[in-house]
Amino acid sequence: MKISSGLFSVVCIVIVVPSILLIYSMNYETARSVDLWFTILAGIIDILAIIMWFWIYRKILVPLDKMRIAIKKIADGDFDYGLDEKDFVEIPFLYNDFEKMRIKLKENEEEKILSENAARELVSNISHDLKTPLTAIRGYVEGILDGVAASPQKVRDYLNTIYNKTNDMTKLIDELLYYSRVTGNKVSYNFERTNVKDFFDEYVKDLYLELETVKIKFSYTANVDADTVIDIDREQIKRALNNIIANAVKYMDKENPEIHLIVKETVDAINIRISDNGRGIAEKDLPHIFERFYRSDASRNTKLGGSGIGLSIVKKVIEIHEGSVVAMSKSGVGTDIDIVLKK
């Protein structure tokens, strides 16, 4: 325990100084009087004990009582109730440890509140996102049952719409289930030595066809050595890339939509950039897009829906690969998502 020099000074003043003065003030016969000396020493000890008691009361007991009150306040949920550092000059370590505990508990409580609010918002979002296709499905089924779809072609069109709506619901539920697994560290990653160029060349084959069906121009460039390899979980990296591209498609608002995938190699990393010329992301939303359950005002105010966890899954997957992901965007112009994977 670190104790200040205050107590040491008191001891010196009460014992050492009086002893020196006593020695100089006493004659020879008095100095030889053992009884007198012990009487004086006992008096000094009594005085010292009283001073010590007052010192302990002021410097130890009073601060401990204040800490007791503070602990009770924290137990009652008041995490803003702090202590005055000046009251703990003699026991600073106790004050420092208490403050660390208080701040940590406050942060945990704030995180808990944020999580609860996010969970409530998620339930609201999911309810809306599931209700929308369910309402549509019900309408089309009623149309078939009531004979509104009078021709075989009309019935087929209705059934195709119902099929697409159920696919949307399945994707949403799968995304939620996957997110619960990945955040609970229940996803098994299968890292494999992978040729970078072969991996991306294969990946974009299906992507060309998918984006062509929604009339989005897609370009792919790979500036990577033919023998460059990297340890990755191929399926999880594909999932991360798909989530980014799905987001770009969802918020595309241009007459001539474009998405570009660029893969470059540096000395110690693989840099991946996915760019689009969509609506972009507002500046105030940009720092939060990789947070779980976060949905920008634009996404809330459209019929596009979404759980707000697609990009948070991207971040989690890339972090498991010890990489990084950042976004750059300009509202109305487009968005760039940059991923760095270490070799």
Side-chain angles (χ1 to χ4, degrees):
M1 180 185 297
K2 182 179 178 182
I3 303 296
S4 72
S5 59
L7 182 58
F8 178 75
S9 301
V10 169
V11 174
C12 290
I13 292 171
V14 174
I15 295 180
V16 178
V17 174
S19 298
I20 294 173
L21 292 176
L22 183 63
I23 291 171
Y24 277 98
S25 65
M26 290 191 302
N27 55 35
Y28 181 73
E29 286 77 10
T30 305
R32 291 172 61 86
S33 175
V34 177
D35 291 340
L36 178 60
W37 172 252
F38 275 106
T39 301
I40 295 172
L41 184 60
I44 292 172
I45 292 174
D46 289 341
I47 294 171
L48 179 61
I50 294 171
I51 293 174
M52 280 284 292
W53 188 88
F54 276 109
W55 184 89
I56 291 173
Y57 178 78
R58 285 183 59 246
K59 300 295 185 179
I60 305 295
L61 297 181
V62 171
L64 287 178
D65 189 57
K66 291 182 177 180
M67 179 165 288
R68 180 187 64 80
I69 295 172
I71 290 173
K72 188 176 184 303
K73 290 283 188 181
I74 288 178
D76 293 337
D78 184 3
F79 298 103
D80 291 319
Y81 189 90
L83 296 170
D84 189 344
E85 188 174 5
K86 291 184 293 185
D87 292 332
F88 293 82
V89 174
E90 307 300 335
I91 43 177
F93 67 93
L94 199 58
Y95 169 81
N96 293 333
D97 290 345
F98 175 84
E99 278 299 293
K100 288 179 182 177
M101 179 197 71
R102 182 184 68 82
I103 292 171
K104 184 65 176 177
L105 288 173
K106 183 178 179 181
E107 290 175 349
N108 289 343
E109 183 65 17
E110 290 173 348
E111 177 66 20
K112 179 183 175 182
I113 292 172
L114 288 174
S115 296
E116 289 175 351
N117 291 339
R120 281 194 292 270
E121 184 175 354
L122 175 64
V123 171
S124 176
N125 292 342
I126 297 304
S127 299
H128 175 269
D129 295 340
L130 290 177
K131 185 177 181 180
T132 301
L134 282 172
T135 301
I137 290 171
R138 180 179 179 179
Y140 285 111
V141 170
E142 288 177 348
I144 294 173
L145 294 176
D146 294 341
V148 174
S151 66
Q153 183 59 44
K154 196 72 171 178
V155 171
R156 184 176 181 80
D157 291 341
Y158 276 30
L159 291 175
N160 281 334
T161 302
I162 292 171
Y163 177 78
N164 292 332
K165 295 295 182 182
T166 55
N167 277 343
D168 292 341
M169 293 171 61
T170 301
K171 288 178 183 177
L172 178 59
I173 293 170
D174 287 344
E175 191 175 60
L176 290 170
L177 291 174
Y178 178 81
Y179 180 77
S180 68
R181 290 172 57 213
V182 76
T183 53
N185 295 320
K186 294 180 181 179
V187 175
S188 298
Y189 283 81
N190 180 29
F191 286 87
E192 298 177 279
R193 201 76 167 163
T194 302
N195 182 287
V196 176
K197 192 170 188 310
D198 290 347
F199 171 78
F200 281 97
D201 286 350
E202 184 66 26
Y203 170 71
V204 299
K205 285 182 180 178
D206 293 334
L207 196 57
Y208 273 112
L209 297 175
E210 291 177 13
L211 295 178
E212 187 179 18
T213 59
V214 291
K215 302 187 184 308
I216 293 179
K217 179 182 178 182
F218 176 67
S219 69
Y220 160 64
T221 304
N223 187 10
V224 182
D225 289 342
D227 58 350
T228 298
V229 293
I230 190 172
D231 289 326
I232 60 172
D233 183 317
R234 300 173 189 174
E235 292 306 313
Q236 301 304 330
I237 291 296
K238 286 180 181 179
R239 179 184 288 273
L241 297 173
N242 287 340
N243 282 7
I244 295 172
I245 290 172
N247 229 46
V249 172
K250 182 185 292 184
Y251 297 106
M252 185 64 69
D253 63 346
K254 300 296 189 300
E255 291 184 3
N256 299 305
E258 298 180 8
I259 293 177
H260 307 280
L261 172 61
I262 302 172
V263 183
K264 292 183 179 180
E265 179 180 3
T266 62
V267 175
D268 58 355
I270 300 298
N271 296 333
I272 306 161
R273 168 169 287 189
I274 299 175
S275 304
D276 67 66
N277 65 338
R279 70 175 58 183
I281 303 167
E283 186 176 352
K284 69 181 182 65
D285 294 321
L286 196 56
H288 307 288
I289 63 170
F290 293 105
E291 296 176 5
R292 57 181 179 174
F293 309 135
Y294 185 82
R295 298 176 73 190
S296 66
D297 291 339
S299 64
R300 290 193 191 97
N301 296 330
T302 65
K303 297 179 181 179
L304 298 174
S307 61
I309 61 176
L311 292 182
S312 64
I313 290 175
V314 172
K315 183 179 180 182
K316 185 71 175 179
V317 169
I318 299 304
E319 285 178 346
I320 293 294
H321 283 77
E322 298 183 353
S324 63
V325 55
V326 296
M328 296 168 288
S329 184
K330 189 172 181 180
S331 187
V333 177
T335 302
D336 296 333
I337 304 287
D338 286 344
I339 297 173
V340 177
L341 296 176
K342 296 179 181 179
K343 289 184 179 178

